[in-house]
Amino acid sequence: MNATDWQQPGGGYSPEGPPMRTSGWPNWIKLVIVLILMASLGWVLLLATQYFRTGQPIERLPGVSQVADLFGGPPEYVHSIYGVERPLGVAVGESGKVYVTESGGERKIHVYDSDGVELSSFAPPDTGATSRVPVYIAVSPQGEVYVSDRQARTIYIFSEDGTPLGEVPPPAAPEMWHPLGMDFDAAGNLYVTDVSSGNHRVLVLDPAGHLKLEFGSQGSAEGEFWFPNAVAVDDQGRIYVSDSNNGRVQVFDSSGQFLVQVGRGLGKGELSLPRGIAIDGDNHLFVVDTSRQAVQMYDISESIAYRETFGGDQGSDSVFSYPNGLALDGQGGLYVTDRENDRVQFWRY
């Protein structure tokens, strides 16, 4: 059969379609195509198995999250949790419970499930609404809930269900202890920012509550603080502190030696009034920039590299009004206390 046997008068093809032209491909190209198709099918089957076994969203499964990180878009607003008055702190437990402190109304700690349904609430024992101001909150590796209280100048300890377990004893004289932000490392050491007058600093307490490390003093030079708020520790032991009134985030090594900072300014990645901070397992640092009404995101895998700012650009539901605290759920979810809007926003990245 020659070429004119299948060509039609209008230049079209016969009903059987055009002739296949694969016979000229080298065998190695055919082999590569077959291998790629087999590998792709195997990867899809593996993802399906992981999805049905773990129940995690597809974008957070191994092999997908890395690709999504390279090509994914900015974080997206999902929904808000209402029913809290002037929320400040937020934390997520291993069970998925979301703990939120409120500085208005009854000034309680509210507990929600991952869908935002309130499960319970609790407060420090023997206190009334006017005698307590819960601020930041953290969950220990054992599941205990730690709450810093500005009014009582202490850290209360509760069980997962809100049963009071006691208080963290001050590492020095009571007048030298005004705890604020908190975080735990994998070993159970507690990191605390202390804003006692003239003595702004970071304290590290071992699991028994003994003072292990202390660094910083009140001031504006490198290694000094002016109302340090939140603190977070990465998997390399580096300590990140939101030095709020100095408008920066300072980074220290595990011994408290200054390393680097993200400074104050109006440019991309620069800060205004940083408060809540958190670090995920993919070396991303999130910082609540309160007066900028936004959350800033950085890559800390090597140095600190600015990635993006989000909040307020997807409609009124996602607009912040003086956000303060921030927590991650370990599955690509991010909670931000939206203080003046009396809600907690949930984003996915």
Side-chain angles (χ1 to χ4, degrees), residues 179 242 273:
S242 58
L273 184 65

Side-chain angles (χ1 to χ4, degrees), residues 248-331:
R248 62 188 179 184
V249 169
Q250 296 195 67
V251 187
F252 303 85
D253 66 17
S254 58
S255 64
Q257 297 299 309
F258 174 84
L259 295 175
V260 69
Q261 69 177 21
V262 180
R264 169 178 276 158
L266 299 177
K268 285 188 176 180
E270 294 178 321
L271 298 167
S272 179
L273 184 65
R275 290 284 176 84
I277 58 177
I279 299 170
D280 70 8
D282 294 323
N283 289 314
H284 296 135
L285 169 68
F286 298 86
V287 181
V288 174
D289 200 340
T290 298
S291 60
R292 190 166 288 176
Q293 320 294 350
V295 176
Q296 305 224 46
M297 181 178 179
Y298 305 83
D299 188 323
I300 58 171
S301 53
E302 294 183 4
S303 58
I304 300 181
Y306 169 75
R307 288 194 51 161
E308 56 192 310
T309 300
F310 62 93
D313 58 350
Q314 298 184 29
S316 60
D317 286 341
S318 65
V319 173
F320 293 121
S321 182
Y322 294 96
N324 192 82
L326 182 150
L328 307 174
D329 67 1
Q331 298 183 18

Side-chain angles (χ1 to χ4, degrees), residues 33-195:
I33 293 174
V34 171
L35 292 175
I36 291 175
L37 292 174
M38 292 179 63
S40 300
L41 178 60
W43 187 57
V44 171
L45 292 175
L46 177 62
L47 290 180
T49 301
Q50 292 175 333
Y51 173 76
F52 287 111
R53 181 172 60 84
T54 66
Q56 290 191 7
I58 292 291
E59 67 270 15
R60 302 309 300 171
L61 293 175
V64 177
S65 59
Q66 291 83 354
V67 175
D69 200 40
L70 291 174
F71 302 103
E76 296 181 349
Y77 170 83
V78 180
H79 63 81
S80 288
I81 299 173
Y82 292 90
V84 290
E85 292 191 42
R86 295 173 63 85
L88 291 179
V90 59
V92 182
E94 288 295 327
S95 64
K97 290 182 177 178
V98 183
Y99 300 88
V100 181
T101 63
E102 63 177 1
S103 61
E106 290 298 312
R107 298 179 177 179
K108 290 185 174 182
I109 297 95
H110 294 262
V111 187
Y112 303 88
D113 66 15
S114 58
D115 294 322
V117 176
E118 184 164 6
L119 303 175
S120 62
S121 63
F122 57 89
D126 304 319
T127 64
T130 59
S131 63
R132 60 179 180 245
V133 183
V135 182
Y136 286 109
I137 189 164
V139 180
S140 75
Q142 291 74 37
E144 297 171 337
V145 181
Y146 285 59
V147 179
S148 64
D149 191 298
R150 186 174 65 201
Q151 188 90 341
R153 296 169 65 114
T154 191
I155 297 175
Y156 293 104
I157 308 174
F158 302 88
S159 67
E160 182 183 0
D161 63 3
T163 301
L165 299 178
E167 302 174 14
V168 176
E175 63 268 22
M176 299 297 289
W177 171 252
H178 198 155
L180 198 57
M182 299 169 293
D183 193 26
F184 286 91
D185 63 18
N189 296 306
L190 173 62
Y191 296 73
V192 182
T193 61
D194 179 16
V195 294

Side-chain angles (χ1 to χ4, degrees), residues 203-218:
L203 305 171
V204 182
L205 309 179
D206 68 18
H210 300 134
L211 183 61
K212 186 175 181 179
L213 176 66
E214 172 186 346
F215 62 91
S217 59
Q218 188 167 336

